[in-house]
Amino acid sequence: KNMQTKKVTPPPTLNGKGFRLSPLNRDNLSLLHKWESDPSSLYLYTLRKDILSEEEYIEVTTSRLKGYYHVFLLIINHEDKPIGFIYSYDANVVDGFAFVTTFLEAESRRLGLGAKTGLLFFDYLFAYYPLRKIYCDVFEYNSESFSALKNAGFEIEGKFREHRFFQGKYHMMYRLALYRERFYKKFGSMVQRVVSNDIP
């Protein structure tokens, strides 16, 4: 992979076997609002506690797509149904890092799709942007995501003690990092098994 490959804008659709990652469009914003207004999962992946109206959400998200988000893709399953999203943000191409967040609706979790989505997305980021590492922040009570990230080659680089107030007490937030060279050493051959060569 060439770290000097120029930036691709807008992002392409990434085709995996049995799923794809597709660019976000305005028609999807109502669904995103539904997902990001669900308190049963909001606590897993964001520090946000506020629930915005759909109008407010669309305004905020539209603004973030112009600056805060680096690459934002919907996760589409084999039935052509959006089931989640994955995005990079706070990208720093000078120092070579970006943060990534993934969300899957409840019924699509524990099926291995999160891992496949990550492999495809990380490969895209490392291939098309001058990134050395990818960060993910995870709260200590989200043990499922923490284990998945560790299995994906992420290493703990920081601990933010008493960082998140949830269910009556403060919890630690871990910052984990995935390095480009270690990613390809461990998962290079696996990435090729996840990628679909079918032309959509």
Side-chain angles (χ1 to χ4, degrees), residues 18-88:
F19 72 102
R20 73 179 187 275
L21 306 181
S22 296
L24 181 68
N25 62 56
R26 190 171 181 85
D27 294 339
N28 306 128
L29 292 179
S30 293
L31 178 59
L32 255 64
H33 174 253
K34 176 184 175 182
W35 286 335
E36 296 206 61
S37 299
D38 181 0
S40 70
S41 59
L42 198 64
Y43 72 96
L44 291 173
Y45 62 93
T46 180
L47 286 167
R48 274 187 42 238
K49 296 183 176 71
D50 56 318
I51 303 297
L52 303 177
S53 69
E54 184 170 334
E55 183 177 335
E56 290 172 328
Y57 179 82
I58 289 174
E59 182 179 348
V60 169
T61 303
T62 300
S63 174
R64 286 186 163 193
L65 285 169
K66 297 175 182 177
Y68 174 74
Y69 295 126
H70 175 233
V71 178
F72 196 117
L73 297 173
L74 283 177
I75 304 169
I76 312 294
N77 69 7
H78 66 284
E79 297 176 336
D80 206 35
K81 175 190 173 186
I83 57 170
F85 54 78
I86 187 167
Y87 63 82
S88 51

